[in-house]
Amino acid sequence: MTLTRQAPPVTGAAAPERRRRHDGWANALMVAPATVLYVVMLIIPVGLALYLSLTDWDGFSADPAFVGAANYVKLLDDPELQRASLVTLLVAAAGTAGLNLLGLGFALLVNGASKANTFFRIVLFYPHVLSALVVGFLWSAILGTTGAVNNLVTTWGGQVIPFLSDPVWATVTMIAVLVWAGFGVNVVLYLAGLQAVPHSLIEAARIDGATRAQVFRNVTLPALGPSVTVNIVLSLVTLLKTYDLVVSLTAGGPAGQTQTVAYLILWNSFHDARLGFGSAQSVILMLVTAALAFVVTKLRRRGELAVHQ
């Protein structure tokens, strides 16, 4: 039998150093896939958009012509972008309010543990599972000039309701459909926040004689501060980049009155073959979205601190 001599175990200062080096490589290998995905899917596209925004590329020519800040100068006097910006801000503000009010309201209704509440949670979340394009086509068939609702109205002798053919009606309809399709996510997030509220605080408030409204205002709502912040920021960011539902519901009409900035970016980039100009618009939208999300988060955090002080 041949005896082999084993190396003595590493002792002293070398052992912790080798362990730290091993842990460092292990951590690096674990985060490598996420890092690669982040760079490929975010950093590189953003960098490419920044470069293309400084060119007059049409999406087809081999050599994009460098124009510097000319695209950004054009944005200052673009009436279509100004109108789309107003529509986008209106959609973001009204939609965020609707999503959070409905989300919190229904979360309070289905907060208990029961089979009925489980069923209603699934029903409320289901519209979010559908593609926004499908949702748009569905509601277009329901609310269009020759849609199901107007067919019933005219059959009963009424006038056609311009859900999608009048600028004001079309904007309100678009916001309502966006809220209907998306508030299920807010319900889920608010439910998670409600389940984290200490039940002992609620019981203590009820023992002290607080009404249900007082318990909600003074106990539940302050405890939901982080959930409210997350919901507002997610809703705002999602609505600022709305385009797919616009494509299938109104196609930007009537007369371009429901065009959002994201829809206008796609139209300029691919329909008008002005990819450089569209990239400049996308850079501005990205910066505005990041700034608004930062401001809203700061204001909400400040409000949460004021409540707890």
Side-chain angles (χ1 to χ4, degrees), residues 231-251:
N231 273 285
I232 290 177
V233 172
L234 287 179
S235 301
L236 184 65
V237 171
T238 301
L239 291 170
L240 284 173
K241 57 186 181 66
T242 298
Y243 76 93
D244 40 8
L245 188 134
V246 180
V247 172
S248 56
L249 183 64
T250 65

Side-chain angles (χ1 to χ4, degrees), residues 60-195:
F60 300 99
S61 57
D63 297 319
F66 185 81
V67 296
N71 288 324
Y72 294 97
V73 175
K74 290 179 184 178
L75 293 178
L76 299 176
D77 298 323
D78 188 358
E80 280 192 330
L81 180 61
Q82 294 172 4
R83 182 176 59 195
S85 298
L86 291 176
V87 172
T88 302
L89 291 176
L90 176 61
V91 168
T96 299
L99 286 170
N100 284 275
L101 289 175
L102 282 179
L104 180 56
F106 278 102
L108 291 170
L109 290 175
V110 299
N111 186 33
S114 67
K115 292 183 178 179
N117 283 342
T118 301
F119 171 76
F120 285 118
R121 290 175 190 176
I122 296 172
V123 172
L124 293 172
F125 188 77
Y126 181 72
H128 182 71
V129 178
L130 300 175
S131 166
L133 288 172
V134 173
V135 170
F137 286 126
L138 171 65
W139 283 101
S140 179
I142 295 173
L143 300 176
T145 304
T146 58
V149 172
N150 277 316
N151 281 336
L152 288 175
V153 171
T154 53
T155 300
W156 294 337
Q159 298 293 324
V160 172
I161 303 174
F163 290 111
L164 303 177
S165 57
D166 177 80
V168 176
W169 274 94
T171 303
V172 173
T173 301
M174 182 173 64
I175 294 172
V177 173
L178 283 168
V179 171
W180 175 85
F183 81 96
V185 175
N186 300 82
V187 172
V188 172
L189 293 175
Y190 278 123
L191 280 172
L194 287 171
Q195 292 172 7

